[in-house]
Amino acid sequence: MAKVMKTLVMYGDTFHADRLVPITSDYGHTVISFGIGAMQPVYELYDELLKAGAVSTQQFSADPRPLDKNVPSNPLQDLVFKIMYKEQERYEKQLRQFGIINDEAYTCTNYLPEVGNTPKKGDILSWAESSAVVFANSVLGARCNRNSGIIELMGSIAGLVPEFGFLTDDGRKADYIVEIKTRRKPEAQLLGSAIGMHVMEKVPYVVGLDQWIGDELNDDAIAYLKDFGAATASNGSVGLYHIENLTPEAKESGRSLLREDAKVYVVDDAELERVKESYPVIWKNKDAKPKLCFMGCPHMTLKQLKDWTVRIEALLKTSGRKRVAIPTVFTASPGVMKEFAKTEYAKRLKETGVIVSYICPLMYMNNPLCKIMPVITSSNKLRTYTSARYYTEDEIALKITGLA
């Protein structure tokens, strides 16, 4: 425990924190969910912590598992997966000893109600998962820095984190005012990418987006901001954004959140098209027919699964097909999958040939044999970290139903 505290203090000193403050959230979260063989030092450190009784003061959720037998793969890929994630069983045992909530608490969207790890406004967290951190800070009004996977666990063990950055009022001020001047609703993943690459680790205050997604945090707005935020965090390093008239702090404080020297970034249709065209295509054969489609990085919401079921059914009817033209995987948390299975939509989606999985697409794509596959996605996070090729949701919908 002394080593844990010393590490947290050194971490705080690096960022000029004056003190440690208590974590106030009900649950923690760990970004490390994969038992990859190359991470032996992590497992050894965890064994040392467990042996010393230095376990988490709070239960926690974890990022998605890397494997699911229901996701398409060939025998050679399966063999590589077996070698890559040979420590999965050992690692999950360690997580149970540290205090993971349950065997279904593996998801990057731990903040959704079906999962049950939803922080309250003002809660102090110790998380590292970039898409969860930016959602908690921005949409929920919690307070969390972008930590590392080990630091987040140490914070949960000690029940304390250094006070700096997004844990302070000044650290939550906006450095940029982003003006949305598009003629139609901007694609969440594309808009997030544009803003993330422009502001990098700074805090943007977004004006004009509420005209497209409204001024209430309903299911549609939450799904949009989940994907938008993940793109700002992965294509840049955004850990907090404010949406005028929508997110909690922007509703409360308005433009008083802006720093006096805040810069202006204008996003119109031409800017979004410029950003999209700048993405590299790293397939060996750029004209290859896609062999797999991943949707849900981060994991999809229950509303998204239902909406996509209806959308795919309608497009398949237009194309004269009964099932999707490309093997397609929708990923969601085990909790969301369980609730989805209770609805009529689950059977209907299955009949289209779409697979619903709890897998982490990024971990799947880390397999060198999967990297060379022509995989398509609507996720800017997956595009950034893997060889997957980005298409907008409209383009994806047409491709997987055989209309493009």
Side-chain angles (χ1 to χ4, degrees):
M1 184 61 79
K3 290 180 179 179
V4 169
M5 288 296 291
K6 182 178 179 180
T7 303
L8 290 170
V9 169
M10 290 173 68
Y11 177 49
D13 284 345
T14 302
F15 291 94
H16 310 293
D18 292 326
R19 61 177 183 169
L20 296 170
V21 292
I23 294 170
T24 60
S25 59
D26 293 333
Y27 299 104
H29 183 81
T30 180
V31 70
I32 304 174
S33 60
F34 43 93
I36 196 164
M39 288 176 48
Q40 288 298 331
V42 172
Y43 312 133
E44 291 169 7
L45 170 62
Y46 283 10
D47 280 338
E48 186 178 345
L49 289 167
L50 288 167
K51 185 178 179 181
V55 297
S56 178
T57 57
Q58 54 180 188
Q59 288 186 294
F60 56 89
S61 49
D63 262 22
R65 289 183 168 105
L67 302 175
D68 180 359
K69 65 180 185 301
N70 295 313
V71 176
S73 60
N74 60 47
L76 191 54
Q77 289 172 336
D78 289 339
L79 177 61
V80 175
F81 277 132
K82 188 175 181 180
I83 296 170
M84 281 180 64
Y85 298 114
K86 63 181 180 179
E87 299 289 354
Q88 191 67 27
E89 186 176 334
R90 173 190 178 188
Y91 181 58
E92 290 193 19
K93 181 180 178 182
Q94 288 180 322
L95 291 184
R96 288 192 294 272
Q97 292 174 297
F98 273 120
I100 194 164
I101 297 169
N102 55 48
D103 200 44
E104 295 184 350
Y106 288 88
T107 175
C108 50
T109 55
N110 56 288
Y111 45 79
L112 294 178
E114 295 84 1
V115 183
N117 184 0
T118 310
K120 300 179 291 295
K121 186 176 182 298
D123 269 348
I124 304 297
L125 317 178
S126 181
W127 293 2
E129 162 56 44
S130 62
S131 66
V133 167
V134 73
F135 188 95
N137 274 325
S138 311
V139 183
L140 302 178
R143 298 196 167 201
C144 185
N145 285 312
R146 285 183 54 138
N147 303 301
S148 74
I150 303 298
I151 287 292
E152 68 176 353
L153 178 64
M154 290 189 171
S156 289
I157 290 171
L160 299 163
V161 285
E163 186 182 42
F164 68 91
F166 298 133
L167 270 59
T168 68
D169 290 342
D170 183 71
R172 300 180 75 82
K173 292 276 189 177
D175 308 282
Y176 277 85
I177 182 165
V178 179
E179 299 177 356
I180 307 301
K181 296 186 176 180
T182 57
R183 290 171 295 175
R184 54 188 176 272
K185 181 180 178 180
E187 186 91 2
Q189 297 269 4
L190 195 53
L191 177 62
S193 172
I195 293 174
M197 288 194 289
H198 190 87
V199 310
M200 297 305 289
E201 82 284 1
K202 301 298 184 182
V203 177
Y205 184 96
V206 184
V207 175
L209 186 58
D210 56 311
Q211 68 176 307
W212 298 112
I213 64 175
D215 58 4
E216 291 190 12
L217 291 172
N218 54 30
D219 289 344
D220 287 325
I222 284 172
Y224 187 98
L225 294 178
K226 166 184 71 74
D227 293 337
F228 164 82
T232 68
S234 58
N235 287 202
S237 300
V238 175
L240 165 67
Y241 59 80
H242 302 292
I243 309 295
E244 190 166 61
N245 300 323
L246 181 59
T247 52
E249 287 162 278
K251 273 197 165 185
E252 287 178 4
S253 304
R255 299 196 181 190
S256 66
L257 288 169
L258 288 167
R259 297 191 188 278
E260 289 186 5
D261 60 347
K263 300 175 183 177
V264 177
Y265 173 45
V266 177
V267 179
D268 54 18
D269 296 318
E271 174 66 354
L272 291 180
E273 187 61 28
R274 181 195 68 78
V275 169
K276 185 186 176 196
E277 290 300 314
S278 73
Y279 297 156
V281 178
I282 58 178
W283 292 358
K284 188 174 182 179
N285 176 10
K286 294 184 179 182
D287 298 319
K289 180 181 177 181
K291 291 187 177 181
L292 186 63
C293 172
F294 268 122
M295 298 283 286
C297 181
H299 277 169
M300 297 172 78
T301 67
L302 183 60
K303 182 72 160 49
Q304 285 179 312
L305 288 176
K306 292 178 178 178
D307 289 347
W308 270 94
T309 299
V310 175
R311 187 175 193 177
I312 290 172
E313 286 176 331
L315 291 174
L316 286 177
K317 187 175 181 180
T318 300
S319 68
R321 300 180 62 93
K322 291 186 177 180
R323 296 170 69 84
V324 289
I326 299 169
T328 301
V329 180
F330 286 178
T331 66
S333 71
V336 167
M337 288 174 61
K338 182 180 287 187
E339 291 302 311
F340 184 63
K342 297 176 183 178
T343 71
E344 61 171 307
Y345 297 92
K347 182 174 182 292
R348 288 162 52 184
L349 185 61
K350 186 176 181 179
E351 288 174 351
T352 70
V354 172
I355 296 166
V356 182
S357 172
Y358 52 75
I359 200 173
C360 173
L362 202 157
M363 292 299 104
Y364 177 96
M365 291 294 293
N366 272 348
N367 185 325
L369 296 180
C370 296
K371 282 183 178 179
I372 61 176
M373 288 173 57
V375 176
I376 61 174
T377 185
S378 66
S379 166
N380 245 310
K381 181 172 185 176
L382 191 62
R383 174 201 70 82
T384 302
Y385 294 139
T386 72
S387 60
R389 185 172 182 173
Y390 173 82
Y391 288 99
T392 66
E393 290 190 353
D394 287 345
E395 291 169 334
I396 289 283
L398 294 177
K399 285 183 177 295
I400 65 178
T401 56
L403 290 171

